[in-house]
Amino acid sequence: MWRLRQAVKAFPLIVFAGLSDYSFAEQYAQNSSSVAREDETGLINRQIQLDKNWSFRKKARYIRKGKATIFDLFNCVGSPDVSRWRHDEPLHRDQFICTKKNSYVWGLTNDGDLMWMDLASGTRKRLYRNKTYFRQSGKSAEYFMLSKTGDLEVRDSNDDIIWTKSAPYSISPQNCLSDYECPYLHLHGNNGKNVLNFISESGQWITTGMNKVYGFQKRKKDKEKTAKMSLQQSEVKGMEDIHV
C-alpha cells in the first residue's frame, strides 16, 4: 500500500516530467538532425578540398579505379568549353583546362609548375618548374597566359613575365569560333595533345601540337623509344640492302 500511495503522489510529477522529457527529446532530435546535416555538409566540403590537395599519384589512382573524375579532383575552369583556353586570359595556380573524354589536364599547379597530366595512365610532363626560376630570379609564378601573338607566358604577382616560349610564326588575333578568338589552346581528349590554333598570314586555320611549336623536349623514355625504333629501322634497312 505504501508503494501504491507513493506512486499516486508521484504520478503528476511523472506526467509532467514525461511531457517535459518528450518536448526536450523532440527538440533535441531536431537539433541533432540539423547538426548532423551541418556536420555532413562540412565533411563533404572538407573532403572535396582534401581531394584537390592530394598528390598526383593518389589522384591518378582514384581516377583509374573509377572512384573519382578529373572534375572532382581538379579546378577545370575553361568556359564555355573546359578543354579550351583563350589568349590574354590568366590561368592561375590550381586552375586547369581539362578534357571531357579520358582524363587529361593541363595547367598551373599549386606549386606554380606548368604541367601536362594524363591521370588515366599516371604520366605527367612538367613544362615549367617554378622552383628553378624562383632560385634564379627570386620571382614566383602567379599565373599562365597565352599572349595574342601565340607566346606562352608565366607571370608573377606584379604581372611581370618570368618565363616565356615564343611561337615561330607570325600570329595575330583573328576570328575563329564564336566563343574563341584565335590564337587559343585546345586540349584534345582522344590523345591528350594541347594544340595551338591560329590563323596564318595567308588566312589558313592552323592547328599544331604544343610540343612541336614550342620545342618542348620529349621525356627520357620517349627519347629511348624513338632511338630504339630508329635503330631497328636502320637494321631492317641494312638487311634489305644485303638481301638485294
Side-chain angles (χ1 to χ4, degrees):
M1 290 294 293
W2 182 83
R3 290 182 178 178
L4 179 60
R5 285 197 300 272
Q6 291 296 108
V8 170
K9 287 181 181 179
F11 180 75
L13 295 174
I14 294 171
V15 171
F16 176 77
L19 289 173
S20 178
D21 287 346
Y22 173 76
S23 176
F24 174 77
E26 186 181 40
Q27 184 178 3
Y28 179 77
Q30 291 176 352
N31 289 339
S32 295
S33 61
S34 175
V35 169
R37 282 197 298 271
E38 289 175 5
D39 284 349
E40 185 181 359
T41 302
L43 286 171
I44 289 172
N45 288 337
R46 285 195 292 274
Q47 183 65 32
I48 290 174
Q49 186 61 41
L50 286 172
D51 287 350
K52 290 184 177 179
N53 287 326
W54 278 347
S55 67
F56 168 78
R57 289 182 178 179
K58 191 169 184 178
K59 288 179 179 179
R61 185 167 67 250
Y62 267 66
I63 287 175
R64 285 198 302 271
K65 290 182 177 180
K67 294 182 178 180
T69 69
I70 55 174
F71 302 103
D72 296 323
L73 303 178
F74 291 88
N75 294 316
C76 302
V77 295
S79 178
D81 186 346
V82 293
S83 64
R84 288 182 168 90
W85 196 253
R86 300 178 185 86
H87 65 263
D88 283 353
E89 284 196 8
L91 188 68
H92 291 276
R93 288 192 183 203
D94 196 31
Q95 292 185 339
F96 303 88
I97 54 176
C98 311
T99 59
K100 297 174 184 176
K101 178 183 177 183
N102 296 319
S103 300
Y104 299 104
V105 296
W106 192 97
L108 211 60
T109 66
N110 270 327
D111 296 327
D113 293 345
L114 190 61
M115 299 281 290
W116 170 91
M117 291 173 269
D118 176 5
L119 278 298
S121 66
T123 58
R124 55 185 167 170
K125 183 175 183 178
R126 184 180 285 104
L127 309 175
Y128 163 83
R129 186 187 292 271
N130 189 47
K131 189 181 293 185
T132 301
Y133 281 83
F134 179 76
R135 284 199 300 262
Q136 293 174 354
S137 64
K139 296 182 178 182
S140 184
E142 184 65 29
Y143 63 91
F144 160 84
M145 192 164 65
L146 174 71
S147 75
K148 62 184 179 182
T149 57
D151 297 340
L152 305 182
E153 299 175 350
V154 173
R155 295 177 177 244
D156 63 10
S157 57
N158 295 320
D159 299 322
D160 293 331
I161 299 173
I162 58 177
W163 175 89
T164 185
K165 283 275 188 179
S166 299
Y169 306 104
S170 178
I171 298 176
S172 61
Q174 301 282 341
N175 290 326
C176 290
L177 302 177
S178 57
D179 293 314
Y180 294 90
E181 185 182 57
C182 280
Y184 69 86
L185 298 176
H186 183 197
L187 186 62
H188 286 220
N190 58 341
N191 55 19
K193 283 186 178 181
N194 200 0
V195 174
L196 175 68
N197 289 254
F198 66 96
I199 304 298
S200 68
E201 291 180 300
S202 61
Q204 291 182 307
W205 187 330
I206 306 296
T207 59
T208 182
M210 181 175 289
N211 289 343
K212 181 179 178 181
V213 176
Y214 300 102
F216 289 116
Q217 295 295 319
K218 293 183 178 181
R219 291 180 298 120
K220 185 177 180 181
K221 288 183 179 179
D222 292 338
K223 288 181 179 179
E224 291 174 352
K225 186 178 179 180
T226 303
K228 186 176 180 181
M229 289 176 62
S230 300
L231 180 61
Q232 289 173 346
Q233 290 173 357
S234 299
E235 288 176 349
V236 171
K237 188 176 184 302
M239 291 175 65
E240 289 175 350
D241 292 340
I242 293 170
H243 180 71
V244 172

